[in-house]
Amino acid sequence: MRADRVFAYGAAAGLLGDHLLGDPRRGHPVAAFGRAAGAVEQLLWRDHRGWGALHTAVCVGGAVSLATVATSALRPSRTASAALTAAATWAVVGGTSLAREAGIVGRALEAGDIEAARARLPHLCGRDPQALDADGIARAVVESVAENTSDAVVGALVWGGVAGVPGLLGFRAVNTLDAMVGHKSAKYRRYGWASARLDDVAGWPGARLTAVLATLAGDDPRGAVRAWRTDARRHPSPNAGPVEASFAGALGVRLGGTLSYGGRVEHRPVLNGAGRAVAVADIDRAVRLSRRVGWLALGVSVAGRLLLKGPKS
């Protein structure tokens, strides 16, 4: 088995495993990384960018080093290498958990149980659920599905295509650290700066690929392109902008607008202003689009791996 086929078979098996099994209920490797990163933070935290950069280097470097050692140890066996790739892919992608959480909120809204929907929304995003009505919750879910398609699926596959298992684990480490310390709270404004900037860099290719694939796989390719070109740059996030704008155009809905995080109100630009307001049924449409984008991203990443490795390995 050629080395490039190791990634192809392993990544496909891992993505299929996520589709069939979802995340483990206990002992998730990403949760273990989070606990380790939290312990490192307890040792290093200072209200200073330099200490935050050291935290990022230690945690991401440790994940990449562990993956590199495991890859090297198993390289003589193509079967073992493919199994490692499958396990790593299954561990770092989260498409099924994303779809499940979105579906739970959607079903609560369909049943008219807005309190249940509010209670479940924090599993998807950091919005203040009590500040949202049913339409606002539906919009928050669609936006979270769009953004997490890039963060939880496509970005990892892209870096896996570039660097194999170290790329898969390295991307997830960066993304997890950003979620932990990359926000602009008083505690992490300086300490989390390096993690946030590294996440912007690491997420850049996956976000653009997500936007391209959402355009190709959505119901309205022209609308997706138009929203991406017109509105993406107005979003405060360089990576969420293209993803959310392309999803909005592809689904024919409006995203963005006023939202609340931790009691702080933000007035974000409207994405695809010509679209209609998000309805509860659009949650399932967004999940189906996310699924299509994920499988297309696997194909693109495998093709990219073949090109990087060349005709022989």
Short mmCIF file of all heavy atoms in Angstrom, two decimals, residues 89-156:
data_model
loop_
_atom_site.label_atom_id
_atom_site.label_comp_id
_atom_site.label_asym_id
_atom_site.label_seq_id
_atom_site.Cartn_x
_atom_site.Cartn_y
_atom_site.Cartn_z
N THR A 89 -8.37 10.57 12.56
CA THR A 89 -9.45 11.28 11.86
C THR A 89 -10.75 11.20 12.65
O THR A 89 -11.44 12.21 12.84
CB THR A 89 -9.65 10.69 10.45
OG1 THR A 89 -8.42 10.77 9.72
CG2 THR A 89 -10.73 11.45 9.69
N TRP A 90 -11.08 10.01 13.11
CA TRP A 90 -12.29 9.83 13.90
C TRP A 90 -12.25 10.69 15.16
O TRP A 90 -13.26 11.27 15.58
CB TRP A 90 -12.46 8.37 14.26
CG TRP A 90 -13.56 8.10 15.23
CD1 TRP A 90 -14.91 8.18 15.01
CD2 TRP A 90 -13.42 7.69 16.60
NE1 TRP A 90 -15.60 7.86 16.16
CE2 TRP A 90 -14.72 7.55 17.13
CE3 TRP A 90 -12.31 7.42 17.41
CZ2 TRP A 90 -14.93 7.16 18.45
CZ3 TRP A 90 -12.52 7.04 18.73
CH2 TRP A 90 -13.83 6.91 19.23
N ALA A 91 -11.06 10.81 15.77
CA ALA A 91 -10.94 11.56 17.02
C ALA A 91 -11.09 13.06 16.82
O ALA A 91 -11.62 13.75 17.70
CB ALA A 91 -9.59 11.27 17.68
N VAL A 92 -10.63 13.59 15.69
CA VAL A 92 -10.57 15.05 15.54
C VAL A 92 -11.76 15.64 14.79
O VAL A 92 -12.06 16.83 14.95
CB VAL A 92 -9.26 15.51 14.87
CG1 VAL A 92 -8.05 15.02 15.65
CG2 VAL A 92 -9.17 15.07 13.41
N VAL A 93 -12.44 14.87 13.95
CA VAL A 93 -13.60 15.44 13.25
C VAL A 93 -14.83 15.29 14.14
O VAL A 93 -14.91 14.38 14.97
CB VAL A 93 -13.84 14.78 11.88
CG1 VAL A 93 -12.63 14.97 10.97
CG2 VAL A 93 -14.18 13.31 12.00
N GLY A 94 -15.77 16.20 13.97
CA GLY A 94 -16.94 16.17 14.84
C GLY A 94 -18.23 16.44 14.10
O GLY A 94 -19.15 17.07 14.65
N GLY A 95 -18.34 15.98 12.87
CA GLY A 95 -19.52 16.27 12.07
C GLY A 95 -20.79 15.65 12.63
O GLY A 95 -21.86 16.28 12.61
N THR A 96 -20.70 14.44 13.15
CA THR A 96 -21.89 13.77 13.65
C THR A 96 -22.39 14.41 14.94
O THR A 96 -23.60 14.59 15.14
CB THR A 96 -21.62 12.28 13.85
OG1 THR A 96 -21.40 11.68 12.56
CG2 THR A 96 -22.79 11.58 14.52
N SER A 97 -21.47 14.77 15.83
CA SER A 97 -21.88 15.45 17.06
C SER A 97 -22.50 16.80 16.73
O SER A 97 -23.50 17.21 17.36
CB SER A 97 -20.67 15.65 17.98
OG SER A 97 -20.21 14.40 18.45
N LEU A 98 -21.94 17.50 15.75
CA LEU A 98 -22.49 18.78 15.31
C LEU A 98 -23.92 18.59 14.81
O LEU A 98 -24.85 19.33 15.20
CB LEU A 98 -21.62 19.37 14.22
CG LEU A 98 -22.11 20.65 13.53
CD1 LEU A 98 -22.18 21.79 14.52
CD2 LEU A 98 -21.17 21.00 12.37
N ALA A 99 -24.13 17.59 13.96
CA ALA A 99 -25.46 17.33 13.41
C ALA A 99 -26.43 16.91 14.51
O ALA A 99 -27.60 17.33 14.52
CB ALA A 99 -25.37 16.25 12.34
N ARG A 100 -25.97 16.10 15.44
CA ARG A 100 -26.85 15.63 16.52
C ARG A 100 -27.31 16.79 17.40
O ARG A 100 -28.50 16.91 17.71
CB ARG A 100 -26.12 14.59 17.37
CG ARG A 100 -26.99 14.05 18.50
CD ARG A 100 -26.29 12.94 19.27
NE ARG A 100 -25.06 13.39 19.89
CZ ARG A 100 -23.85 12.93 19.58
NH1 ARG A 100 -23.70 12.00 18.66
NH2 ARG A 100 -22.78 13.38 20.20
N GLU A 101 -26.37 17.65 17.79
CA GLU A 101 -26.75 18.78 18.65
C GLU A 101 -27.67 19.75 17.92
O GLU A 101 -28.64 20.26 18.51
CB GLU A 101 -25.49 19.50 19.14
CG GLU A 101 -24.63 18.69 20.08
CD GLU A 101 -25.36 18.30 21.36
OE1 GLU A 101 -26.30 19.02 21.76
OE2 GLU A 101 -25.01 17.27 21.96
N ALA A 102 -27.39 20.00 16.66
CA ALA A 102 -28.27 20.87 15.88
C ALA A 102 -29.66 20.26 15.78
O ALA A 102 -30.68 20.97 15.90
CB ALA A 102 -27.69 21.10 14.49
N GLY A 103 -29.73 18.95 15.58
CA GLY A 103 -31.02 18.28 15.47
C GLY A 103 -31.82 18.33 16.75
O GLY A 103 -33.05 18.47 16.73
N ILE A 104 -31.15 18.21 17.90
CA ILE A 104 -31.84 18.25 19.19
C ILE A 104 -32.50 19.62 19.38
O ILE A 104 -33.67 19.72 19.78
CB ILE A 104 -30.86 17.96 20.34
CG1 ILE A 104 -30.43 16.48 20.29
CG2 ILE A 104 -31.50 18.28 21.69
CD1 ILE A 104 -29.32 16.14 21.26
N VAL A 105 -31.75 20.68 19.07
CA VAL A 105 -32.32 22.02 19.19
C VAL A 105 -33.46 22.21 18.20
O VAL A 105 -34.52 22.75 18.53
CB VAL A 105 -31.24 23.10 18.98
CG1 VAL A 105 -31.86 24.50 19.04
CG2 VAL A 105 -30.13 22.97 20.02
N GLY A 106 -33.27 21.72 16.98
CA GLY A 106 -34.30 21.86 15.96
C GLY A 106 -35.59 21.16 16.34
O GLY A 106 -36.69 21.71 16.15
N ARG A 107 -35.48 19.96 16.89
CA ARG A 107 -36.69 19.23 17.27
C ARG A 107 -37.41 19.91 18.44
O ARG A 107 -38.64 19.91 18.52
CB ARG A 107 -36.33 17.78 17.63
CG ARG A 107 -36.00 16.94 16.41
CD ARG A 107 -35.88 15.47 16.74
NE ARG A 107 -34.73 15.19 17.59
CZ ARG A 107 -33.50 14.98 17.15
NH1 ARG A 107 -33.24 15.05 15.85
NH2 ARG A 107 -32.51 14.71 17.99
N ALA A 108 -36.63 20.49 19.35
CA ALA A 108 -37.26 21.22 20.45
C ALA A 108 -38.03 22.43 19.91
O ALA A 108 -39.15 22.72 20.36
CB ALA A 108 -36.20 21.67 21.45
N LEU A 109 -37.46 23.12 18.94
CA LEU A 109 -38.15 24.25 18.35
C LEU A 109 -39.40 23.81 17.59
O LEU A 109 -40.45 24.47 17.65
CB LEU A 109 -37.21 25.01 17.40
CG LEU A 109 -36.05 25.77 18.06
CD1 LEU A 109 -35.14 26.36 16.99
CD2 LEU A 109 -36.57 26.86 18.99
N GLU A 110 -39.30 22.70 16.87
CA GLU A 110 -40.47 22.18 16.15
C GLU A 110 -41.60 21.85 17.12
O GLU A 110 -42.79 22.01 16.78
CB GLU A 110 -40.08 20.94 15.35
CG GLU A 110 -39.21 21.24 14.13
CD GLU A 110 -38.73 19.96 13.46
OE1 GLU A 110 -38.90 18.88 14.06
OE2 GLU A 110 -38.18 20.06 12.34
N ALA A 111 -41.25 21.37 18.31
CA ALA A 111 -42.26 21.01 19.31
C ALA A 111 -42.77 22.23 20.08
O ALA A 111 -43.66 22.09 20.94
CB ALA A 111 -41.69 19.99 20.27
N GLY A 112 -42.20 23.40 19.80
CA GLY A 112 -42.61 24.60 20.49
C GLY A 112 -42.04 24.74 21.89
O GLY A 112 -42.48 25.59 22.67
N ASP A 113 -41.03 23.92 22.21
CA ASP A 113 -40.43 23.94 23.54
C ASP A 113 -39.18 24.83 23.50
O ASP A 113 -38.05 24.34 23.43
CB ASP A 113 -40.07 22.52 23.98
CG ASP A 113 -39.69 22.44 25.45
OD1 ASP A 113 -39.47 23.50 26.07
OD2 ASP A 113 -39.60 21.32 25.97
N ILE A 114 -39.38 26.13 23.58
CA ILE A 114 -38.25 27.06 23.43
C ILE A 114 -37.30 26.97 24.63
O ILE A 114 -36.09 27.18 24.48
CB ILE A 114 -38.76 28.50 23.23
CG1 ILE A 114 -37.59 29.42 22.82
CG2 ILE A 114 -39.44 29.03 24.49
CD1 ILE A 114 -38.02 30.76 22.33
N GLU A 115 -37.81 26.62 25.81
CA GLU A 115 -36.92 26.50 26.97
C GLU A 115 -35.95 25.34 26.80
O GLU A 115 -34.78 25.43 27.17
CB GLU A 115 -37.74 26.35 28.25
CG GLU A 115 -38.50 27.61 28.63
CD GLU A 115 -37.57 28.82 28.76
OE1 GLU A 115 -36.44 28.67 29.28
OE2 GLU A 115 -37.97 29.92 28.35
N ALA A 116 -36.44 24.23 26.24
CA ALA A 116 -35.54 23.10 25.98
C ALA A 116 -34.50 23.47 24.93
O ALA A 116 -33.33 23.09 25.03
CB ALA A 116 -36.35 21.89 25.52
N ALA A 117 -34.93 24.22 23.91
CA ALA A 117 -33.99 24.67 22.88
C ALA A 117 -32.95 25.59 23.48
O ALA A 117 -31.75 25.49 23.16
CB ALA A 117 -34.74 25.37 21.76
N ARG A 118 -33.37 26.50 24.34
CA ARG A 118 -32.41 27.40 24.99
C ARG A 118 -31.42 26.62 25.87
O ARG A 118 -30.24 26.94 25.91
CB ARG A 118 -33.16 28.42 25.84
CG ARG A 118 -33.83 29.53 25.04
CD ARG A 118 -34.70 30.39 25.92
NE ARG A 118 -35.23 31.54 25.19
CZ ARG A 118 -36.31 32.22 25.54
NH1 ARG A 118 -36.99 31.85 26.63
NH2 ARG A 118 -36.71 33.26 24.83
N ALA A 119 -31.92 25.60 26.56
CA ALA A 119 -31.06 24.83 27.44
C ALA A 119 -30.00 24.06 26.66
O ALA A 119 -28.88 23.84 27.15
CB ALA A 119 -31.90 23.86 28.27
N ARG A 120 -30.33 23.66 25.42
CA ARG A 120 -29.41 22.85 24.64
C ARG A 120 -28.45 23.68 23.78
O ARG A 120 -27.37 23.21 23.40
CB ARG A 120 -30.21 21.92 23.72
CG ARG A 120 -29.41 20.74 23.17
CD ARG A 120 -29.09 19.75 24.27
NE ARG A 120 -28.18 18.72 23.82
CZ ARG A 120 -27.86 17.63 24.52
NH1 ARG A 120 -28.39 17.45 25.71
NH2 ARG A 120 -27.01 16.73 24.04
N LEU A 121 -28.82 24.92 23.49
CA LEU A 121 -28.02 25.74 22.59
C LEU A 121 -26.57 25.90 23.02
O LEU A 121 -25.67 25.90 22.16
CB LEU A 121 -28.67 27.12 22.41
CG LEU A 121 -28.01 28.04 21.37
CD1 LEU A 121 -28.10 27.42 19.98
CD2 LEU A 121 -28.66 29.42 21.39
N PRO A 122 -26.24 26.02 24.31
CA PRO A 122 -24.83 26.14 24.69
C PRO A 122 -23.94 24.97 24.28
O PRO A 122 -22.72 25.10 24.27
CB PRO A 122 -24.89 26.28 26.23
CG PRO A 122 -26.22 26.89 26.48
CD PRO A 122 -27.14 26.26 25.46
N HIS A 123 -24.54 23.82 23.94
CA HIS A 123 -23.73 22.72 23.43
C HIS A 123 -23.19 23.03 22.04
O HIS A 123 -22.24 22.37 21.59
CB HIS A 123 -24.58 21.44 23.37
CG HIS A 123 -24.93 20.88 24.70
ND1 HIS A 123 -24.33 19.75 25.22
CD2 HIS A 123 -25.81 21.30 25.65
CE1 HIS A 123 -24.83 19.48 26.41
NE2 HIS A 123 -25.73 20.41 26.70
N LEU A 124 -23.77 23.99 21.37
CA LEU A 124 -23.35 24.36 20.01
C LEU A 124 -22.54 25.65 19.95
O LEU A 124 -21.61 25.76 19.16
CB LEU A 124 -24.58 24.52 19.11
CG LEU A 124 -25.13 23.29 18.43
CD1 LEU A 124 -26.44 23.63 17.73
CD2 LEU A 124 -24.13 22.74 17.42
N CYS A 125 -22.92 26.64 20.75
CA CYS A 125 -22.27 27.95 20.63
C CYS A 125 -22.36 28.71 21.94
O CYS A 125 -23.08 28.30 22.86
CB CYS A 125 -22.88 28.76 19.49
SG CYS A 125 -24.63 29.16 19.72
N GLY A 126 -21.65 29.82 22.01
CA GLY A 126 -21.57 30.58 23.23
C GLY A 126 -22.56 31.71 23.34
O GLY A 126 -22.38 32.62 24.15
N ARG A 127 -23.61 31.70 22.52
CA ARG A 127 -24.61 32.77 22.60
C ARG A 127 -25.34 32.73 23.94
O ARG A 127 -25.42 31.71 24.60
CB ARG A 127 -25.65 32.62 21.48
CG ARG A 127 -25.07 32.48 20.08
CD ARG A 127 -24.68 33.79 19.48
NE ARG A 127 -24.05 33.56 18.18
CZ ARG A 127 -24.72 33.52 17.04
NH1 ARG A 127 -26.02 33.69 17.03
NH2 ARG A 127 -24.07 33.32 15.91
N ASP A 128 -25.91 33.87 24.31
CA ASP A 128 -26.78 33.92 25.49
C ASP A 128 -28.16 33.43 25.08
O ASP A 128 -28.93 34.16 24.43
CB ASP A 128 -26.88 35.37 26.00
CG ASP A 128 -25.58 35.85 26.59
OD1 ASP A 128 -24.78 35.01 27.02
OD2 ASP A 128 -25.36 37.08 26.61
N PRO A 129 -28.54 32.21 25.43
CA PRO A 129 -29.81 31.66 24.93
C PRO A 129 -31.04 32.41 25.42
O PRO A 129 -32.04 32.48 24.72
CB PRO A 129 -29.80 30.21 25.42
CG PRO A 129 -28.84 30.19 26.55
CD PRO A 129 -27.81 31.22 26.25
N GLN A 130 -30.96 32.97 26.62
CA GLN A 130 -32.14 33.65 27.15
C GLN A 130 -32.45 34.93 26.39
O GLN A 130 -33.57 35.46 26.49
CB GLN A 130 -31.93 33.97 28.64
CG GLN A 130 -31.76 32.73 29.52
CD GLN A 130 -32.92 31.75 29.37
OE1 GLN A 130 -34.08 32.16 29.32
NE2 GLN A 130 -32.60 30.46 29.32
N ALA A 131 -31.48 35.43 25.64
CA ALA A 131 -31.70 36.65 24.85
C ALA A 131 -32.30 36.36 23.49
O ALA A 131 -32.54 37.29 22.71
CB ALA A 131 -30.37 37.40 24.68
N LEU A 132 -32.57 35.07 23.17
CA LEU A 132 -33.00 34.69 21.84
C LEU A 132 -34.42 34.15 21.85
O LEU A 132 -34.80 33.37 22.73
CB LEU A 132 -32.06 33.61 21.27
CG LEU A 132 -30.60 34.02 21.08
CD1 LEU A 132 -29.78 32.80 20.69
CD2 LEU A 132 -30.47 35.11 20.03
N ASP A 133 -35.19 34.52 20.83
CA ASP A 133 -36.48 33.90 20.60
C ASP A 133 -36.26 32.69 19.68
O ASP A 133 -35.13 32.33 19.36
CB ASP A 133 -37.47 34.89 20.00
CG ASP A 133 -36.99 35.50 18.68
OD1 ASP A 133 -35.99 34.99 18.11
OD2 ASP A 133 -37.61 36.47 18.22
N ALA A 134 -37.34 32.06 19.24
CA ALA A 134 -37.22 30.85 18.42
C ALA A 134 -36.47 31.12 17.12
O ALA A 134 -35.60 30.33 16.71
CB ALA A 134 -38.60 30.27 18.13
N ASP A 135 -36.78 32.23 16.46
CA ASP A 135 -36.09 32.55 15.21
C ASP A 135 -34.62 32.82 15.46
O ASP A 135 -33.76 32.42 14.66
CB ASP A 135 -36.74 33.76 14.55
CG ASP A 135 -38.14 33.48 14.03
OD1 ASP A 135 -38.47 32.28 13.85
OD2 ASP A 135 -38.89 34.44 13.80
N GLY A 136 -34.32 33.49 16.55
CA GLY A 136 -32.92 33.77 16.87
C GLY A 136 -32.15 32.51 17.18
O GLY A 136 -30.97 32.38 16.81
N ILE A 137 -32.78 31.55 17.85
CA ILE A 137 -32.12 30.27 18.13
C ILE A 137 -31.86 29.53 16.82
O ILE A 137 -30.77 28.97 16.63
CB ILE A 137 -32.98 29.43 19.08
CG1 ILE A 137 -33.01 30.09 20.47
CG2 ILE A 137 -32.44 28.01 19.19
CD1 ILE A 137 -33.97 29.41 21.44
N ALA A 138 -32.84 29.49 15.93
CA ALA A 138 -32.66 28.81 14.64
C ALA A 138 -31.50 29.43 13.87
O ALA A 138 -30.68 28.72 13.28
CB ALA A 138 -33.95 28.86 13.83
N ARG A 139 -31.43 30.75 13.87
CA ARG A 139 -30.33 31.42 13.16
C ARG A 139 -28.99 31.08 13.81
O ARG A 139 -28.00 30.81 13.11
CB ARG A 139 -30.55 32.93 13.17
CG ARG A 139 -29.39 33.71 12.57
CD ARG A 139 -29.77 35.16 12.30
NE ARG A 139 -30.09 35.91 13.49
CZ ARG A 139 -29.18 36.51 14.27
NH1 ARG A 139 -27.91 36.45 13.97
NH2 ARG A 139 -29.57 37.19 15.34
N ALA A 140 -28.94 31.07 15.14
CA ALA A 140 -27.70 30.73 15.83
C ALA A 140 -27.25 29.31 15.49
O ALA A 140 -26.05 29.05 15.31
CB ALA A 140 -27.89 30.87 17.34
N VAL A 141 -28.20 28.39 15.39
CA VAL A 141 -27.85 27.00 15.05
C VAL A 141 -27.28 26.91 13.64
O VAL A 141 -26.25 26.26 13.41
CB VAL A 141 -29.08 26.08 15.21
CG1 VAL A 141 -28.78 24.69 14.67
CG2 VAL A 141 -29.50 25.99 16.67
N VAL A 142 -27.93 27.55 12.68
CA VAL A 142 -27.43 27.50 11.29
C VAL A 142 -26.05 28.12 11.20
O VAL A 142 -25.15 27.59 10.53
CB VAL A 142 -28.42 28.20 10.35
CG1 VAL A 142 -27.82 28.35 8.95
CG2 VAL A 142 -29.73 27.42 10.29
N GLU A 143 -25.83 29.23 11.89
CA GLU A 143 -24.51 29.85 11.87
C GLU A 143 -23.46 28.94 12.50
O GLU A 143 -22.33 28.84 12.00
CB GLU A 143 -24.56 31.19 12.61
CG GLU A 143 -25.32 32.27 11.85
CD GLU A 143 -25.53 33.54 12.65
OE1 GLU A 143 -25.19 33.55 13.86
OE2 GLU A 143 -26.07 34.50 12.09
N SER A 144 -23.83 28.26 13.59
CA SER A 144 -22.89 27.34 14.24
C SER A 144 -22.59 26.13 13.37
O SER A 144 -21.44 25.67 13.32
CB SER A 144 -23.47 26.89 15.59
OG SER A 144 -23.59 27.98 16.47
N VAL A 145 -23.61 25.62 12.69
CA VAL A 145 -23.37 24.50 11.78
C VAL A 145 -22.40 24.92 10.68
O VAL A 145 -21.46 24.18 10.35
CB VAL A 145 -24.70 24.00 11.17
CG1 VAL A 145 -24.44 23.05 10.00
CG2 VAL A 145 -25.54 23.31 12.24
N ALA A 146 -22.60 26.11 10.13
CA ALA A 146 -21.71 26.58 9.07
C ALA A 146 -20.29 26.71 9.58
O ALA A 146 -19.34 26.15 8.99
CB ALA A 146 -22.21 27.93 8.54
N GLU A 147 -20.10 27.44 10.68
CA GLU A 147 -18.74 27.69 11.17
C GLU A 147 -18.06 26.40 11.60
O GLU A 147 -16.87 26.18 11.33
CB GLU A 147 -18.78 28.67 12.34
CG GLU A 147 -17.40 29.08 12.82
CD GLU A 147 -17.44 30.18 13.87
OE1 GLU A 147 -18.55 30.65 14.20
OE2 GLU A 147 -16.35 30.58 14.33
N ASN A 148 -18.80 25.52 12.27
CA ASN A 148 -18.18 24.29 12.76
C ASN A 148 -17.97 23.25 11.66
O ASN A 148 -17.19 22.32 11.85
CB ASN A 148 -19.02 23.70 13.89
CG ASN A 148 -18.80 24.45 15.18
OD1 ASN A 148 -17.72 24.43 15.74
ND2 ASN A 148 -19.82 25.15 15.64
N THR A 149 -18.62 23.40 10.53
CA THR A 149 -18.28 22.54 9.39
C THR A 149 -16.83 22.77 9.00
O THR A 149 -16.09 21.83 8.68
CB THR A 149 -19.20 22.84 8.20
OG1 THR A 149 -20.55 22.55 8.57
CG2 THR A 149 -18.83 22.01 6.98
N SER A 150 -16.41 24.03 9.03
CA SER A 150 -15.01 24.36 8.76
C SER A 150 -14.11 23.94 9.90
O SER A 150 -13.10 23.25 9.70
CB SER A 150 -14.88 25.87 8.50
OG SER A 150 -13.53 26.23 8.31
N ASP A 151 -14.46 24.31 11.13
CA ASP A 151 -13.59 24.07 12.27
C ASP A 151 -13.52 22.60 12.68
O ASP A 151 -12.46 22.11 13.09
CB ASP A 151 -14.07 24.88 13.48
CG ASP A 151 -13.81 26.37 13.31
OD1 ASP A 151 -13.00 26.74 12.43
OD2 ASP A 151 -14.42 27.17 14.04
N ALA A 152 -14.65 21.90 12.61
CA ALA A 152 -14.71 20.55 13.15
C ALA A 152 -14.54 19.45 12.11
O ALA A 152 -14.40 18.29 12.47
CB ALA A 152 -16.04 20.34 13.88
N VAL A 153 -14.55 19.82 10.84
CA VAL A 153 -14.44 18.78 9.80
C VAL A 153 -13.43 19.18 8.73
O VAL A 153 -12.37 18.56 8.60
CB VAL A 153 -15.82 18.51 9.13
CG1 VAL A 153 -15.68 17.39 8.09
CG2 VAL A 153 -16.86 18.13 10.18
N VAL A 154 -13.73 20.19 7.97
CA VAL A 154 -12.94 20.50 6.76
C VAL A 154 -11.52 20.91 7.11
O VAL A 154 -10.56 20.44 6.49
CB VAL A 154 -13.63 21.59 5.92
CG1 VAL A 154 -12.80 21.91 4.68
CG2 VAL A 154 -15.04 21.14 5.52
N GLY A 155 -11.36 21.79 8.10
CA GLY A 155 -10.02 22.24 8.45
C GLY A 155 -9.10 21.09 8.83
O GLY A 155 -7.93 21.04 8.42
N ALA A 156 -9.61 20.15 9.62
CA ALA A 156 -8.81 19.00 10.02
C ALA A 156 -8.42 18.14 8.82
O ALA A 156 -7.27 17.70 8.70
CB ALA A 156 -9.57 18.17 11.05
#
